[in-house]
Amino acid sequence: MTRLKEWFSSGRSTGKHTMPFVVILLAITFLASAANLYLPEDSALYVSTYTITLLGKYLCYAMLALAVDIIWGYCGILSLGHGAFFALGGYAMGMYLMRQIGDRGVYGHPTLPDFMVFLDWQELPWFWLGMDQFWFAMIMAVLVPGLLAFVFGWLAFRSRVTGVYLSIMTQALTYALLLAFFRNEMGFGGNNGLTDFKEIVGFDLQADSTRVSLFMITAFLLAIVFVISQRILSSRFGKVVLAIRDAESRSRFIGYRTDRYKVWLFVYSAVIAGIAGALYVPQVGIINPGEFSPINSIEMVIWVAVGGRGTLIGAVIGAILVNYAKTRFTAILPDAWLFALGAMFVFVTLYLPKGLMGIYAQLMAKRKTAKPQKSEESQA
């Protein structure tokens, strides 16, 4: 605990982009929410409930991209398995929402979800017990991804598995979970997953006010996670993580237990992904094994690469822009989206290695160098 306090106390103030980002995020969230709740539908400034839900989904993806950037951009660990942590958090929320249906399901069973009644199950599995309590489900949404990340990270990092081998292992992890959750015997709805949710903590999920509330909560938590992450990564702990990324063998040689730093950063990243998954499910209305797909984890890496890894804000911007492009592109040419996504990744890798935030940094650098030149010319 003392060392943790030292890490935070020795850190610099939050980055120069942190407060503007938080203010802009919360301002847009407030304005969009007010436009949905208080403006008439025929108003030019009205924001539909569909758009509010779409924006909430984008913010969940932004939080997930933030988690990937923390571990990849700052520690150099390319994880292709963060979709697993995201899906586990989503399943925890989905289990809670399924328990809230009660006897309003198709089969009218007061305790068992419809898919269990269909499969002729007689009682709830032990891991469903307690999931009718919101607080317990939220603890599981954080604890399960964090515990899995701790066990995996402890085994992998203590064995000094790095590079492409670690990436393959993380991808294998999420694929194994994908196959497991597809099985009806697992008790998570099989291929269909969990859906047909009715309410959350007593509020109707289809009501506009509930949709807006979920959107605002997502934006608020994204801002909190962003500030905390910025603080951690600008502290002494963050400096050690950067040293591990740039020269792990040297960091180990001067006495740092690099595996411990990597494990705890991996756990922190997984917890953020789990929170994002828990926020995602009530807004989209479904969670199924498809969220474990390795393709989803690869897409997350592309979000971060487009925005600029190692910047945090770049991951958020990249996730929002790429998913907005996906929404528009799949409506026009749904079969061509994966080709467009691959082309985007190749383009960014070749011509924008530092992403959009790299372009922004170059423009700011040119602007700073141009100012002294102008002042010198005016004096002459």
Side-chain angles (χ1 to χ4, degrees), residues 176-372:
L177 289 172
L178 167 69
L179 297 178
F181 274 71
F182 261 119
R183 297 176 61 86
N184 288 325
E185 297 84 352
M186 287 288 291
F188 295 104
N191 183 44
N192 296 321
L194 309 177
T195 187
D196 194 29
F197 308 132
K198 307 295 184 184
E199 62 182 36
I200 180 170
V201 291
F203 295 97
D204 182 10
L205 272 175
Q206 305 306 319
D208 291 351
S209 58
T210 306
R211 294 285 180 173
V212 170
S213 298
L214 289 170
F215 170 56
M216 295 182 69
I217 291 171
T218 304
F220 182 68
L221 288 178
L222 174 60
I224 291 177
V225 168
F226 186 89
V227 172
I228 293 175
S229 301
Q230 183 70 52
R231 182 62 179 171
I232 291 175
L233 295 170
S234 63
S235 68
R236 184 183 303 171
F237 178 88
K239 293 177 181 178
V240 174
V241 168
L242 291 176
I244 294 172
R245 180 195 67 183
D246 297 334
E248 182 175 357
S249 58
R250 293 184 180 182
S251 301
R252 189 184 301 113
F253 179 75
I254 61 177
Y256 286 106
R257 296 291 298 272
T258 59
D259 55 321
R260 293 184 179 180
Y261 285 87
K262 292 163 73 175
V263 166
W264 289 115
L265 194 69
F266 194 63
V267 170
Y268 174 68
S269 176
V271 166
I272 295 175
I275 294 173
L279 293 168
Y280 172 84
V281 170
Q283 297 185 77
V284 300
I286 187 172
I287 179 69
N288 59 42
E291 297 298 337
F292 286 102
S293 174
I295 295 178
N296 292 349
S297 296
I298 295 173
E299 279 195 33
M300 299 166 198
V301 173
I302 296 177
W303 303 343
V304 178
V306 169
R309 64 190 183 105
T311 60
L312 292 185
I313 191 172
V316 173
I317 294 173
I320 294 174
L321 290 180
V322 173
N323 282 284
Y324 174 76
K326 181 178 182 179
T327 301
R328 304 297 297 178
F329 204 94
T330 51
I332 302 172
L333 295 171
D335 295 332
W337 165 245
L338 289 179
F339 296 100
L341 186 67
M344 183 190 306
F345 185 63
V346 172
F347 177 81
V348 169
T349 303
L350 294 177
Y351 302 105
L352 298 175
K354 295 184 180 180
L356 297 177
M357 290 304 295
I359 296 177
Y360 173 78
Q362 292 177 359
L363 293 176
M364 291 296 101
K366 290 181 179 179
R367 184 178 179 182
K368 290 181 180 179
T369 55
K371 285 183 178 181

